[in-house]
Every structure is written in C-alpha cells, then in structure tokens.
Amino acid sequence: MEVAKEEPAVVDVDVVVVGAGFSGIYAVYAFRSAGLTVQAFEAGDGIGGTWFWNSYPGARCDVESKDYSYSFSPELEQEWSWSERYPAQPEILRYLNHVADRFDLWPHIKLNTRVTGASWDADTGTGTGAWTVTTSDGGTVTARYFVAAAGCLSEFQVPDLPGLDSFEGPWYHTARWPKEGVDFAGKRIGLIGTGSTGIQVAPEIAAVAEHLYVFQRTANFAVPNRNRPWEEAEELAFKSRYREYRAQARESFLGVPIAGTGRPVLSEPPEDVQRLFAERWQAGGGMPFLGAYTDVLVSQEANDVVAEFMRDRIRETVADPAVAELLCPRGYPVGSKRLCQSDDYYAMFNQPNVSLVDIRSAPVESVYPGGIKTESDSYELDALVFATGFDALTGALFAMDIRGAGGVPLRSAWAAGAQSYLGVAAAGFPNMFLITGPGSPSVFSNMVLSIEQHVEWVRDCVVWLRSHGHTTIEPEAVAQSAWMEHVSDVANATLFPKADSWYVGANIPGKPRVFTSYLAGCGPYRAKCDAVAAAGYEGFALDKA
Ligand code: NA7
C-alpha cells in the first residue's frame, strides 16, 4: 500500500507570528479576528513564553494581577479571578492557557517548533513580496507579514566561568527550570545573580537547603511587594469599574495608573518626603514607590534621598551590620537598574543557613568539581543556580537568521545597536513588525498593556494596507534615525543610562551600549503611534519593495 506523504500543515499564510507568550497569543487572536490567516510558532512545549520558561520557585510578576492581564475582552476580564495581588508564575500560565482555550487559539499555534530563519523575497513571481520562514522541524512557510513576538527577555545567559564543565553536581538556569522541580533539601547551593530573579528564588532555596551561598557582584535595590490574597469583595468592587480603570491605564505613564504627588522630592520638606516613602514602603510595590515624586529618576540629588531611605530599611532588617552594608546598593541610581521586589529577601540573610559572598571584591576564579573558588576562598557546593539574566530585547531576534531586503541580516543592520521606527518596524525589513521592540516603551511599562497596543496597531496597519491596495510597508530611514535620536534624547534626560544594566546591554560582553526603551510614557507613545497611522503611516514607505 502506498503511504501518502505528509504535507506540511500550513504552507502559506497571511501572517507568521514568532512566539506564543502574551504577545504571540494576542497576535493570533487579533489577526484571526481581522480575517487573516495566521500561524504562530512556539519553541516550548507549552504556551506562555517568559511565563512558560521561568518556572523557578518564587517566580512572580512585579506588576499587579489587575494590571498584568489582557483588557481586550471585557468578558474575560470579568470571568477570570486572580488569587493574589501579584500573580505567581503558575497562575499566569493557567491564565494564558485559559485564554487560548476560551478563544480557541490552539489551531493556530504550533508548539515545539522554533523559528530558525526568515527572509524577505521581494519578487515571488506573483507581483508581491513575501517572507519565507524556516522552522526547527525543517518546515517552510511563506507569509505576507512577519511578526516577531519573541519576547524581550528570552535569550538567557550563562556566564562563561572557567571550569564549569568540570562541576560534578547539577547546575540550573532559572530561565530553564526543570518542569518536575528540583529538590534542594539537605544540599549546599551556590546562587549566582542577585537581580529580580535571584532575589525571588533565593528565599525559596534558603527555605529548604542545608546552606545557600549567595554570590553577589552587584547589590540591588528591592522594595516590598506586600503580596496578599485578593479578597472577593475587593475583586468585585474593582471589576465594577474595570473599563474606566483600563482607560486610565492606557493614558498613564507606565501603563499602570499611579497616584504621584506631582511634585519633586527636592521641593518638599524632608520629613514629608520620609513620611511618604515610609507609607509607600509599607503599602508595597515598586511603581508607586518610585513614582511618588517627579524628580527621582531625573535628579541624582533626589535619587540619593530615595536610595538612602532604602539603605536604611536594609540596615533595619539585616541583623549583621557587615552583611547589611554589603547588601546596600551603591554606585548607580535607584531605579536605573530594574527595581526588584521582595517581601523576604533581606530578612533571609538572618537565617543561619545563608551566607552572602562578595564577588565584587573577590571575583569567582573558577568552578571546580566540588564547588566555586573565588580570589579569596573556596565554597563546597552540591548544586549551582544561575539567575544571570538575558540578552534583552535583541537576543531573541538575533537568535533567528532574519534577512530583509537584499538579503541583509538583521544582525548586520543593527550591528551598532537596534534601529527601529516606533519600536514596531525596521527600515530594510518590509512587512516585518516587532511587538514591544527596541525603541518602544516595552520593558519600561506594563508589558501586557504595551503588547496589546502594539498588536492592535499592527493589526490595524495590515488591515489598512490591504484595504488601500498597498503590498508593503517599511520605515523610511530618515524617520527611523529621527525616532532613535528622540528615544536617546529622552533617555539622556534621565538617570537611566548611568547604570550598567541590561537596559543598555551592559550585561552582554561586546553588545553596543544603547538605551533602546522609549521613556516618554505609554500615553504619549500611544498618541504618537495613533497620529502616525492617522496621517497615512507617516514616516513609512509604502510599496517600496
Ligand atoms: P538581571 O537583572 O540581568 O540580573 C542578573 C544578575 O546576575 C545580576 O545580579 C548580575 O550581576 C548577575 N551576573 C550576571 N553575570 C554574572 C557573572 N558573570 N558573575 C556574577 N554575577 C553575574 O536578570 P534577572 O533574571 O534577575 O532579571 C531580568 C528581568 O526579568 C528583570 O529586570 C525583570 O524585568 C524580570 P551584575 O548586576 O551584572 O553585576
């Protein structure tokens, strides 16, 4: 009997979407609702993106549940109940799976399939150009539009420590945590990385391990979450005004309505400043804390006031003064590295089974079969945990071989740093769209809100192109340069570029130091994007390719 040859599931679609995290899931919904054929590819064996991969103990979003959720469906908004003020990773993953079920998105998502390359072909013989997208299973799909929804924090980094291969115990990166979990009971664990992730995972490990050694290169600022269950009465009251709240969020600076004083720290009596910070510290949450005054992220003097307030809280919490001093961040403005949030990180250092190891003054020399050797000591370890971050914003894009007009690789076009127009499209890459790409508010905002804004803008753009008979769109080089200059000017008026953070690419050796997030706020950014569209996609070239 002749066996029929298996045909690829989809060979030609209107839109290919890379990734099935918050952005890919919504992109599938939005494009399908607009009557387009859409295929999303997801490398994981489940959807969720960041929230699929980062399943380490303690993983939790630092934006509140009521904000960190889709707003596109009032019914979804009313039906879903969050259990806590800040959502933990498993609950976010359940939410995203619920969304995929509820809106029947699964037929458009192919799991276990990584997009390996995408190249623009201007002449497909049909009079229109198309993207040819290749995938890890050997498949090829053609699409009119290529939408990169691959995540801002997807490409994780393991430091190149001499001797790591010789380590006899297991080692883990928080961004690839084993789904079956890890049992650290009775073990000596070394944790490298004290950013948002390290600060979340450390207390969970310390609760079970025989001993936890926290290897700290840079101390980080952390405010309390004051996480708590979301009571039913509170939830119902909130849901009764959800639409109005979402409208405020869209116009807000961070994508979350924050009540600030609207005044600078330096104009206020110092005792009032201390009182307000104490109130906000007690209430928990990073955005209301840093957003209390207008000058915290633009004036070093104002920033110093906040930083010292926070250092005092660390000294108050940590019993050993030497450990407390080592945990006190210095050398960069508070907020210029992502402000961490934790209810128990600092207090954890009062546990007898936790040690802080200063690898700023005595760096790690090597890993040996039984542990880690620093310039001053050796630490016997049974397992290692890396919470060492990501090649942010561009990492996931460069992991694919993306080639635009004339076969130019995205990696070459962006060799001196990411270049985009509005953070949503790049010159030389027709019909390619970036969801929360470099040059947009992205990681400086409530990501879900920014994702919705970008996806809706791109959907409307594609619908407009088709209804107006246009085949291609890409930014004009001059509009792109002007936008990136504007992004840079806005950033340079703040303290953000001062820190060696992943925001500027400083955590990746050799990465050009460019600040690529747009800091003028979500509301003004949305208005700019809408104005560009209303003017017939001003700054974009149509039908060029
Ligand atoms: P981050 O914020 O990039 O933190 C990474 C941490 O790992 C940070 O403490 C780094 O120290 C440390 N690190 C990185 N490489 C090394 C080496 N080679 N040796 C020692 N220590 C190292 O990543 P996260 O995963 O915590 O958070 C990323 C974002 O996810 C976060 O901002 C939220 O938006 C959610 P360094 O500061 O470079 O000295």
Side-chain angles (χ1 to χ4, degrees):
M1 194 181 93
E2 203 177 330
V3 179
K5 226 168 142 193
E6 201 182 323
E7 290 293 327
V10 180
V11 291
D12 185 67
V13 289
D14 294 321
V15 188
V16 158
V17 173
V18 184
F22 263 101
S23 49
I25 290 170
Y26 185 44
V28 165
Y29 173 84
F31 290 120
R32 190 191 59 185
S33 305
L36 298 157
T37 53
V38 53
Q39 176 68 59
F41 293 105
E42 167 54 56
D45 63 11
I47 60 169
T50 291
W51 299 107
F52 173 84
W53 296 109
N54 288 270
S55 57
Y56 60 85
R60 187 180 294 284
C61 186
D62 58 4
V63 177
E64 292 189 43
S65 318
K66 64 186 184 347
D67 299 295
Y68 200 78
S69 49
Y70 290 122
S71 71
F72 71 84
S73 162
E75 295 78 24
L76 171 68
E77 203 169 64
Q78 292 296 325
E79 285 162 15
W80 182 264
S81 282
W82 293 101
S83 67
E84 293 178 279
R85 178 183 182 187
Y86 289 96
Q89 176 267 337
E91 189 166 26
I92 301 174
L93 208 52
R94 277 199 299 280
Y95 172 73
L96 289 173
N97 278 276
H98 168 74
V99 171
D101 291 343
R102 193 192 185 288
F103 296 102
D104 192 24
L105 304 179
W106 294 107
H108 308 281
I109 301 171
K110 191 164 185 216
L111 300 175
N112 295 308
T113 312
R114 184 174 285 281
V115 171
T116 50
S119 58
W120 173 252
D121 184 357
D123 181 12
T124 55
T126 59
T128 61
W131 283 92
T132 300
V133 179
T134 51
T135 51
S136 53
D137 60 352
T140 300
V141 179
T142 54
R144 298 284 307 132
Y145 305 96
F146 178 66
V147 175
C152 297
L153 295 163
S154 306
E155 283 295 301
F156 68 101
Q157 294 302 305
V158 178
D160 188 15
L161 298 179
L164 180 57
D165 285 352
S166 73
F167 187 60
E168 280 171 353
W171 63 262
Y172 309 91
H173 193 287
T174 45
R176 286 296 178 278
W177 205 256
K179 294 293 175 209
E180 65 280 13
V182 182
D183 184 7
F184 287 133
K187 303 231 164 69
R188 299 158 303 174
I189 313 301
L191 169 67
I192 298 187
T194 53
S196 302
T197 303
I199 281 176
Q200 287 188 338
V201 77
E204 301 289 328
I205 299 174
V208 291
E210 180 187 310
H211 204 95
L212 172 66
Y213 295 91
V214 178
F215 292 88
Q216 174 186 279
R217 187 165 70 180
T218 307
N220 263 296
F221 291 97
V223 295
N225 270 324
R226 311 291 180 204
N227 191 37
R228 55 180 167 73
W230 217 28
E231 304 297 346
E232 202 184 340
E234 185 184 10
E235 181 190 339
L236 290 177
F238 186 80
K239 281 183 171 174
S240 69
R241 59 183 185 91
Y242 225 147
R243 294 283 89 192
E244 184 194 327
Y245 182 81
R246 297 288 199 188
Q248 286 169 11
R250 286 189 193 102
E251 297 313 313
S252 70
F253 191 80
L254 291 168
V256 174
I258 298 289
T261 59
R263 296 186 299 275
V265 165
L266 298 175
S267 73
E268 298 288 282
E271 58 279 12
D272 287 2
V273 170
Q274 293 297 315
R275 193 179 319 114
L276 186 65
F277 279 126
E279 276 169 22
R280 298 214 168 188
W281 184 267
Q282 199 47 44
M287 288 179 176
F289 187 78
L290 284 185
Y293 292 100
T294 54
D295 53 351
V296 171
L297 294 167
V298 292
S299 153
Q300 186 62 58
E301 202 184 337
N303 194 279
D304 288 343
V305 173
V306 188
E308 198 50 29
F309 175 92
M310 295 186 74
R311 287 190 281 262
D312 283 343
R313 302 289 78 72
I314 297 171
R315 294 179 187 116
E316 222 167 62
T317 308
V318 179
D320 181 332
V323 175
E325 272 322 300
L326 204 51
L327 286 167
C328 283
R330 296 184 190 285
Y332 62 93
V334 54
S336 61
K337 279 173 175 261
R338 177 81 170 212
L339 185 63
C340 305
Q341 291 187 200
S342 172
D343 287 327
D344 40 16
Y345 179 68
Y346 294 126
M348 173 194 79
F349 288 95
N350 296 330
Q351 289 179 215
N353 70 330
V354 177
S355 305
L356 183 64
V357 182
D358 176 13
I359 54 167
R360 169 73 60 187
S361 60
V364 172
E365 255 182 20
S366 61
V367 180
Y368 62 93
I372 282 185
K373 184 168 163 24
T374 70
E375 284 181 7
S376 63
D377 237 321
S378 288
Y379 300 86
E380 292 284 313
L381 301 169
D382 300 309
L384 278 174
V385 174
F386 293 106
T388 42
F390 303 85
D391 184 356
L393 294 156
T394 53
L397 297 172
F398 290 169
M400 298 177 275
D401 185 12
I402 299 177
R403 289 168 187 260
V408 174
L410 186 69
R411 286 190 207 103
S412 312
W414 287 8
Q419 294 287 314
S420 81
Y421 181 41
L422 302 174
V424 78
F429 295 82
N431 292 6
M432 178 177 91
F433 295 102
L434 311 167
I435 304 303
T436 65
S440 71
S442 72
V443 291
F444 274 96
S445 66
N446 170 5
M447 282 298 287
V448 182
L449 179 135
S450 287
I451 283 166
E452 286 190 325
Q453 186 243 332
H454 260 192
V455 168
E456 287 162 12
W457 191 92
V458 174
R459 174 203 60 198
D460 292 349
C461 175
V462 168
V463 168
W464 182 89
L465 290 170
R466 292 163 76 95
S467 65
H468 287 73
H470 296 296
T471 54
T472 66
I473 188 168
E474 69 172 287
E476 287 164 358
V478 62
Q480 177 168 286
S481 305
W483 178 253
M484 292 315 289
E485 205 175 308
H486 173 56
V487 169
S488 166
D489 288 347
V490 174
N492 287 335
T494 72
L495 300 174
F496 281 101
K498 281 186 148 189
D500 286 339
S501 65
W502 60 260
Y503 291 145
V504 295
N507 63 328
I508 303 298
K511 190 166 177 174
R513 191 180 177 105
V514 184
F515 194 93
T516 46
S517 291
Y518 185 51
L519 295 180
C522 291
Y525 172 74
R526 177 185 296 268
K528 170 70 183 167
C529 291
D530 290 349
V532 164
Y537 294 90
E538 186 180 30
F540 284 92
L542 302 171
D543 306 325
K544 180 179 166 191

